[in-house]
Amino acid sequence: MSELNELMRAFGEAGGEQGVLADQGTAHLAVSSHSILSSRVVEGIDVDARETRKGISARIIVREGVKLQKPVHLCFGVLHKKGTQEIKMNVKLEKYSSATFIAHCIFPNAEKVRHIMDAVVEIGEGAEMRYSETHYHGLYGGTEVVPKLSVKVGKNGRYYTDFSLINGRVGKLEIDYDVQAGEGSVTELVARVFGHANDDVKIKEKVVLAGENARGLIKARVAVEDEATAEITGITEGNAAGARGHVDCMEIVKDNAVAKASPRVQVNNPLAKVTHEAAIGSVDKRQMETLMAHGLSPEEAVDVIVKGILR
Amino acid sequence: MALLEVKDIVYGAGNDGKTPILSGLSLAIEHGEVHALLGTNGTGKSTLAYLIMGCEGYRPASGEIRFDSALINGLKIHERARLGITMAWQEPVRFEGISVMDYLSIKNRETDPAPFLNLVGLAPELYLTRMVDRCLSGGERKRIELASVLALKPRLAILDEPDSGIDMLSIQDVINVINAFKKGGSAVLLITHREEISVITDRASQVCNGKIICSGDPEKVAEHYKARHCLTCDGVECHYV
């Protein structure tokens, strides 16, 4: 079986739609370890991807005014038990363009795998980018994922990201996102993670509302069980008039797991407003009772509630 | 034999359990009967509901709760639910990430939730894909809770003040819901402090100071209830005429 087929098989097993790479109208980039296995561009998007010693380096540009109808699929995987994959990404959405990126990160056999992402994103005036990243790490807990992202959102631009790691073990996760939001822009950062065994989850997300009337939302939904640990830091700064930000963190803790949440809000302009909420604890008793009154066992009720918040 | 029999229930609240809430309350509900439980605030209506449902922390100090003649004092909520008892809460909780469609078929995936939404006055095409979360108003959430209880087709549905709340259900909506339960063969314990609703039931009881003080024909019980002088029960002095 070719490496690409093997990657696609793992992708399919992780719930991905395997046919997507065969679609002529869909741009994609498939990478296994430090090999580019497949790529396709469509009208309006430029991709310059190169293999490096430990991974790949890619520059992606969505040209001015281009609105991609189909999502760009990025498939990053390490199929071996051990290895390091470093992804350097530079993404630019030119003025008034829009694109959706769906990243699939697959490490099904990882016993000692490091996946390091270092991405710089620039969103031009009036442009919109949606970035969804879904991970599948297998059952061994040997994955270390370190995604670092620096985003600049231009005037009236929009940036939405949704990070999801709810299938398989997490291993070690250390997210570090930083967004500079320009005038009238909208930023939404969402992370959903389910940690098991001795998984270690660290999420740090920061939105600086630098431009007037910029809006930002940081939303984290994390569940930890067994001996897993989670530490969530959501930072929002309101630095301009009319800026509005909110940090919303919810963590469900089971067994001997430990969770921390540090929403940090700062306002440097009297006409800005930033709010936060954080809830950490076991599953809500009244939610449990309501579901149990519907006939669900306590275990089934917890499962429904946890899946709900991670949805 | 009654479907539900509550016999001489004593229950106290507080850390030491010594603040009396129910003091020897007895009540029976027959198969398929719609029974209204009337009472002012703080008389123990919701406490009785939680005791019947088996909520955490609600175990009687003495007395028996029997369902189909079997003693259920020691059963947990889901065990009681599996016998056919369920409840629509006075202030239903919200669930993040659970759609109305999933919520209404949470126990039985084969259930078509649409007819139950219609019964509570909500258009399925507008609500099935919405989440049971903070985006719903209080009234919408209450209607969805009633629909979910209807969908379970319980043998006994406890409805804790379905008419209360900011976005109130109209009396006609409550009547429609009760008729739907009745048509489906469910018995209903309808907790309310609105006497005009109690008159549509088969039987009514009035609770005061942790005891049933009047029981029987709904209109007569409603008349008795209307004659009260007190807005809340202080548990010390009875202001009934």
Side-chain angles (χ1 to χ4, degrees), chain A residues 219 221 248 250 277 284-287 289-298 300 304-305 308-309 311, chain B residues 55-56 77-78 81-82 86 89 91 93-99 102-103 106-107 134 145 148 152:
Chain A
K219 183 174 166 182
R221 295 290 181 264
D248 174 5
M250 185 191 285
E277 58 186 310
D284 184 84
K285 184 184 140 196
R286 288 210 51 220
Q287 288 183 332
E289 288 183 335
T290 300
L291 295 178
M292 287 166 71
H294 283 65
L296 271 62
S297 69
E300 289 170 331
V304 166
I305 294 164
I309 75 149
R311 195 166 164 181
Chain B
C55 294
E56 192 186 321
I77 300 179
H78 65 291
R82 286 170 188 182
T86 194
W89 311 79
E91 288 175 21
V93 288
R94 314 303 174 109
F95 292 93
E96 203 169 301
I98 299 178
S99 69
D102 287 343
Y103 190 62
I106 210 153
K107 190 56 188 166
R134 287 183 289 187
E145 193 61 17
S148 76
L152 289 169

Side-chain angles (χ1 to χ4, degrees), chain B residues 128-140:
Chain B
L128 281 173
T129 55
R130 288 184 66 178
M131 295 292 153
V132 190
D133 60 13
R134 287 183 289 187
C135 295
L136 293 171
S137 74
E140 287 171 324

